PDB file of all heavy atoms in Angstrom:
ATOM      1  N   GLY A  10     104.048 102.406 111.977  1.00 75.00           N
ATOM      2  CA  GLY A  10     104.390 102.236 110.548  1.00 75.00           C
ATOM      3  C   GLY A  10     104.276 100.811 110.156  1.00 75.00           C
ATOM      4  O   GLY A  10     103.816 100.503 109.026  1.00 75.00           O
ATOM      5  N   GLU A  11     104.788  99.855 110.988  1.00 79.00           N
ATOM      6  CA  GLU A  11     104.706  98.436 110.629  1.00 79.00           C
ATOM      7  C   GLU A  11     103.337  97.987 110.541  1.00 79.00           C
ATOM      8  O   GLU A  11     102.936  97.180 109.684  1.00 79.00           O
ATOM      9  CB  GLU A  11     105.514  97.587 111.628  1.00 79.00           C
ATOM     10  CG  GLU A  11     106.996  97.838 111.579  1.00 79.00           C
ATOM     11  CD  GLU A  11     107.598  97.475 110.201  1.00 79.00           C
ATOM     12  OE1 GLU A  11     107.260  96.376 109.701  1.00 79.00           O
ATOM     13  OE2 GLU A  11     108.386  98.242 109.679  1.00 79.00           O
ATOM     14  N   LEU A  12     102.452  98.447 111.468  1.00 79.00           N
ATOM     15  CA  LEU A  12     101.041  98.041 111.489  1.00 79.00           C
ATOM     16  C   LEU A  12     100.324  98.600 110.253  1.00 79.00           C
ATOM     17  O   LEU A  12      99.494  97.936 109.708  1.00 79.00           O
ATOM     18  CB  LEU A  12     100.332  98.551 112.736  1.00 79.00           C
ATOM     19  CG  LEU A  12     100.714  97.786 114.034  1.00 79.00           C
ATOM     20  CD1 LEU A  12     100.144  98.520 115.247  1.00 79.00           C
ATOM     21  CD2 LEU A  12     100.267  96.336 113.995  1.00 79.00           C
ATOM     22  N   ALA A  13     100.660  99.816 109.814  1.00 81.00           N
ATOM     23  CA  ALA A  13     100.049 100.386 108.635  1.00 81.00           C
ATOM     24  C   ALA A  13     100.448  99.528 107.422  1.00 81.00           C
ATOM     25  O   ALA A  13      99.567  99.345 106.575  1.00 81.00           O
ATOM     26  CB  ALA A  13     100.490 101.834 108.490  1.00 81.00           C
ATOM     27  N   LYS A  14     101.675  99.151 107.316  1.00 86.00           N
ATOM     28  CA  LYS A  14     102.079  98.272 106.150  1.00 86.00           C
ATOM     29  C   LYS A  14     101.274  96.984 106.133  1.00 86.00           C
ATOM     30  O   LYS A  14     100.842  96.537 105.129  1.00 86.00           O
ATOM     31  CB  LYS A  14     103.605  97.968 106.290  1.00 86.00           C
ATOM     32  CG  LYS A  14     104.444  99.134 105.954  1.00 86.00           C
ATOM     33  CD  LYS A  14     105.974  98.634 106.101  1.00 86.00           C
ATOM     34  CE  LYS A  14     106.938  99.891 105.912  1.00 86.00           C
ATOM     35  NZ  LYS A  14     108.365  99.446 106.065  1.00 86.00           N
ATOM     36  N   PHE A  15     101.158  96.370 107.320  1.00 84.00           N
ATOM     37  CA  PHE A  15     100.417  95.141 107.477  1.00 84.00           C
ATOM     38  C   PHE A  15      98.971  95.344 107.060  1.00 84.00           C
ATOM     39  O   PHE A  15      98.368  94.573 106.262  1.00 84.00           O
ATOM     40  CB  PHE A  15     100.472  94.641 108.881  1.00 84.00           C
ATOM     41  CG  PHE A  15      99.559  93.448 109.172  1.00 84.00           C
ATOM     42  CD1 PHE A  15      99.968  92.148 108.772  1.00 84.00           C
ATOM     43  CD2 PHE A  15      98.334  93.609 109.769  1.00 84.00           C
ATOM     44  CE1 PHE A  15      99.161  91.068 109.049  1.00 84.00           C
ATOM     45  CE2 PHE A  15      97.523  92.532 110.074  1.00 84.00           C
ATOM     46  CZ  PHE A  15      97.906  91.260 109.691  1.00 84.00           C
ATOM     47  N   ALA A  16      98.351  96.412 107.529  1.00 85.00           N
ATOM     48  CA  ALA A  16      96.904  96.667 107.270  1.00 85.00           C
ATOM     49  C   ALA A  16      96.641  97.001 105.831  1.00 85.00           C
ATOM     50  O   ALA A  16      95.557  96.778 105.367  1.00 85.00           O
ATOM     51  CB  ALA A  16      96.447  97.746 108.198  1.00 85.00           C
ATOM     52  N   GLU A  17      97.625  97.578 105.182  1.00 88.00           N
ATOM     53  CA  GLU A  17      97.356  98.094 103.771  1.00 88.00           C
ATOM     54  C   GLU A  17      97.954  97.163 102.719  1.00 88.00           C
ATOM     55  O   GLU A  17      97.906  97.451 101.539  1.00 88.00           O
ATOM     56  CB  GLU A  17      97.942  99.472 103.712  1.00 88.00           C
ATOM     57  CG  GLU A  17      97.245 100.509 104.598  1.00 88.00           C
ATOM     58  CD  GLU A  17      97.955 101.828 104.678  1.00 88.00           C
ATOM     59  OE1 GLU A  17      99.029 101.998 103.947  1.00 88.00           O
ATOM     60  OE2 GLU A  17      97.570 102.634 105.505  1.00 88.00           O
ATOM     61  N   ARG A  18      98.654  96.096 103.130  1.00 92.00           N
ATOM     62  CA  ARG A  18      99.366  95.252 102.181  1.00 92.00           C
ATOM     63  C   ARG A  18      98.401  94.652 101.205  1.00 92.00           C
ATOM     64  O   ARG A  18      97.260  94.359 101.412  1.00 92.00           O
ATOM     65  CB  ARG A  18     100.103  94.108 102.937  1.00 92.00           C
ATOM     66  CG  ARG A  18      99.207  92.992 103.354  1.00 92.00           C
ATOM     67  CD  ARG A  18      99.972  92.098 104.382  1.00 92.00           C
ATOM     68  NE  ARG A  18      99.223  90.910 104.737  1.00 92.00           N
ATOM     69  CZ  ARG A  18      98.194  90.901 105.565  1.00 92.00           C
ATOM     70  NH1 ARG A  18      97.764  91.982 106.108  1.00 92.00           N
ATOM     71  NH2 ARG A  18      97.597  89.727 105.854  1.00 92.00           N
ATOM     72  N   ARG A  19      98.905  94.390  99.952  1.00 95.00           N
ATOM     73  CA  ARG A  19      98.183  93.796  98.833  1.00 95.00           C
ATOM     74  C   ARG A  19      98.005  92.304  99.140  1.00 95.00           C
ATOM     75  O   ARG A  19      98.951  91.633  99.576  1.00 95.00           O
ATOM     76  CB  ARG A  19      98.873  94.033  97.575  1.00 95.00           C
ATOM     77  CG  ARG A  19      98.127  93.642  96.346  1.00 95.00           C
ATOM     78  CD  ARG A  19      97.051  94.632  96.023  1.00 95.00           C
ATOM     79  NE  ARG A  19      96.195  94.218  94.885  1.00 95.00           N
ATOM     80  CZ  ARG A  19      95.047  94.686  94.653  1.00 95.00           C
ATOM     81  NH1 ARG A  19      94.552  95.637  95.376  1.00 95.00           N
ATOM     82  NH2 ARG A  19      94.343  94.296  93.593  1.00 95.00           N
ATOM     83  N   LEU A  20      96.802  91.784  98.908  1.00 95.00           N
ATOM     84  CA  LEU A  20      96.563  90.341  99.040  1.00 95.00           C
ATOM     85  C   LEU A  20      96.774  89.731  97.705  1.00 95.00           C
ATOM     86  O   LEU A  20      95.950  89.865  96.789  1.00 95.00           O
ATOM     87  CB  LEU A  20      95.105  90.118  99.541  1.00 95.00           C
ATOM     88  CG  LEU A  20      94.761  90.830 100.892  1.00 95.00           C
ATOM     89  CD1 LEU A  20      93.313  90.578 101.283  1.00 95.00           C
ATOM     90  CD2 LEU A  20      95.643  90.315 101.986  1.00 95.00           C
ATOM     91  N   GLU A  21      97.862  88.959  97.581  1.00 93.00           N
ATOM     92  CA  GLU A  21      98.305  88.422  96.350  1.00 93.00           C
ATOM     93  C   GLU A  21      97.715  87.072  95.948  1.00 93.00           C
ATOM     94  O   GLU A  21      97.659  86.779  94.768  1.00 93.00           O
ATOM     95  CB  GLU A  21      99.848  88.366  96.294  1.00 93.00           C
ATOM     96  CG  GLU A  21     100.569  89.729  96.520  1.00 93.00           C
ATOM     97  CD  GLU A  21     100.305  90.665  95.401  1.00 93.00           C
ATOM     98  OE1 GLU A  21      99.830  90.329  94.337  1.00 93.00           O
ATOM     99  OE2 GLU A  21     100.655  91.845  95.634  1.00 93.00           O
ATOM    100  N   GLU A  22      97.301  86.277  96.930  1.00 95.00           N
ATOM    101  CA  GLU A  22      96.877  84.943  96.566  1.00 95.00           C
ATOM    102  C   GLU A  22      95.379  84.779  96.889  1.00 95.00           C
ATOM    103  O   GLU A  22      94.727  85.656  97.520  1.00 95.00           O
ATOM    104  CB  GLU A  22      97.632  83.829  97.383  1.00 95.00           C
ATOM    105  CG  GLU A  22      97.569  84.033  98.875  1.00 95.00           C
ATOM    106  CD  GLU A  22      98.433  82.948  99.551  1.00 95.00           C
ATOM    107  OE1 GLU A  22      98.499  81.795  99.140  1.00 95.00           O
ATOM    108  OE2 GLU A  22      99.097  83.326 100.608  1.00 95.00           O
ATOM    109  N   GLU A  23      94.778  83.738  96.429  1.00 95.00           N
ATOM    110  CA  GLU A  23      93.390  83.456  96.632  1.00 95.00           C
ATOM    111  C   GLU A  23      93.153  82.881  98.065  1.00 95.00           C
ATOM    112  O   GLU A  23      93.981  82.083  98.531  1.00 95.00           O
ATOM    113  CB  GLU A  23      92.809  82.462  95.561  1.00 95.00           C
ATOM    114  CG  GLU A  23      92.741  83.121  94.173  1.00 95.00           C
ATOM    115  CD  GLU A  23      92.039  82.166  93.185  1.00 95.00           C
ATOM    116  OE1 GLU A  23      91.709  81.033  93.558  1.00 95.00           O
ATOM    117  OE2 GLU A  23      91.685  82.695  92.138  1.00 95.00           O
TER     118      GLU A  23
END
Side-chain angles (χ1 to χ4, degrees):
E11 291 301 313
L12 287 172
K14 286 180 186 177
F15 172 80
E17 297 166 7
R18 75 194 188 284
R19 189 77 184 161
L20 302 177
E21 301 293 347
E22 59 183 320
E23 291 188 350

